[in-house]
Amino acid sequence: EVLLLESGGGLVQPGRSLRLSCATSGFTFTNFAISWVRQAPGKGLEWVSGISASGGSTHYADSVKGRFTISRDNSENTLYLQMDSLRAEDTAVYYCAKGLSFGSVIDYFDYWGQGTLVTVSS
Amino acid sequence: IVLTQSPVSVSVSPGETATLSCRASQSVSRNFAWYQQKPGRGLRLLIYGASTRATGVPDRFNGSGSETDFTLTISSLQPEDFAVYYCQQYSSWPPGITFGPGTKVEI
């Protein structure tokens, strides 16, 4: 069974940092690109960032470029999102989502986690 | 690429058919997917490549369309089908990945 389990969310003040993790199992992690997608309360979905299977290629939405960093540890089957200089508008549930390709992060997603809530507020 | 979904919400009775639309602001070929979301849950992939059902998806879910106009048809609605449905395009970078705002299917 494919599982993706996000963690690391919580309440954080504007301007501070937070690191999210996504622990995976049930598939060969090293073979697939994987992304973060967020959903603000009561709103739609926004793709945030994606990373290729090897970790050699990363992409970011303009809204987070320069503030967020995606990475992966293929020995631990875990995806990360380092979020710096957080803003109120970053408040959302953050999902990790598995792609179907090795190299391309521009893809659809066949498995999603349950999400972790990040609240940016003073 | 902006995706526009219609209607915003639709009320249907179990056993009826719901037709959901999604329009892209420019051609995405058939790089198009549909997802289902229930409250407090992650998303479930229903359709990819505009018309291919994902593994385990019942055949009452049907996707069609190409370029800029796409449709998800849910036939013989079951109680478990009442949810929010999102469309997604995954054309080449740039611009990358965008989602539609969602359509709520309710009783």
Side-chain angles (χ1 to χ4, degrees):
Chain A
E1 181 187 11
V2 173
L3 291 175
L4 298 92
L5 182 63
E6 304 91 341
S7 62
L11 175 63
V12 60
Q13 294 179 327
R16 303 297 290 266
S17 298
L18 205 61
R19 188 175 86 151
L20 304 183
S21 301
C22 173
T24 73
S25 62
F27 66 100
T28 304
F29 184 72
T30 52
N31 283 358
F32 298 98
I34 193 164
S35 285
W36 290 99
V37 178
R38 69 185 179 184
Q39 185 172 33
K43 302 295 184 181
L45 299 159
E46 180 188 18
W47 176 82
V48 173
S49 180
I51 186 168
S52 63
S54 67
S57 176
T58 59
H59 290 283
Y60 298 91
D62 287 344
S63 58
V64 306
K65 197 174 299 182
R67 300 187 299 121
F68 289 12
T69 303
I70 192 171
S71 62
R72 62 191 294 160
D73 184 337
N74 283 353
S75 67
E76 296 289 334
N77 297 337
T78 301
L79 173 73
Y80 300 101
L81 185 67
Q82 177 67 40
M83 305 185 295
D84 299 323
S85 303
L86 282 161
R87 306 167 180 168
E89 55 264 35
D90 296 318
T91 295
V93 174
Y94 285 73
Y95 298 99
C96 55
K98 172 187 169 292
L100 280 293
S101 301
F102 180 89
S104 175
V105 305
I106 307 307
D107 209 345
Y108 61 96
F109 307 111
D110 58 351
Y111 291 97
W112 296 65
Q114 300 274 38
T116 186
L117 176 62
V118 173
T119 303
V120 184
S121 175
S122 54
Chain B
I1 297 176
V2 177
L3 299 181
T4 303
Q5 289 188 246
S6 61
V8 172
S9 66
V10 59
S11 295
V12 295
S13 299
E16 293 185 337
T17 296
T19 302
L20 284 58
S21 297
C22 187
R23 175 165 288 178
S25 59
Q26 64 188 72
S27 175
V28 299
S29 185
R30 293 179 65 82
N31 299 310
F32 198 85
W34 289 95
Y35 299 90
Q36 177 192 68
Q37 185 179 38
K38 295 183 179 179
R41 305 274 298 273
L43 275 75
R44 175 193 183 194
L45 174 67
L46 298 174
I47 302 287
Y48 62 92
S51 62
T52 302
R53 274 189 295 274
T55 302
V57 175
D59 60 7
R60 63 180 181 271
F61 290 90
N62 286 283
S64 62
S66 64
E67 306 297 338
T68 60
D69 290 289
F70 300 88
T71 300
L72 176 68
T73 303
I74 313 171
S75 306
S76 301
L77 271 153
Q78 300 297 302
E80 62 266 28
D81 299 336
F82 293 94
V84 179
Y85 293 82
Y86 291 95
C87 57
Q88 180 217 341
Q89 65 81 21
Y90 46 99
S91 64
S92 58
W93 184 276
I97 294 167
T98 51
F99 293 88
T103 291
K104 185 175 184 179
V105 176
E106 52 193 356
I107 301 174

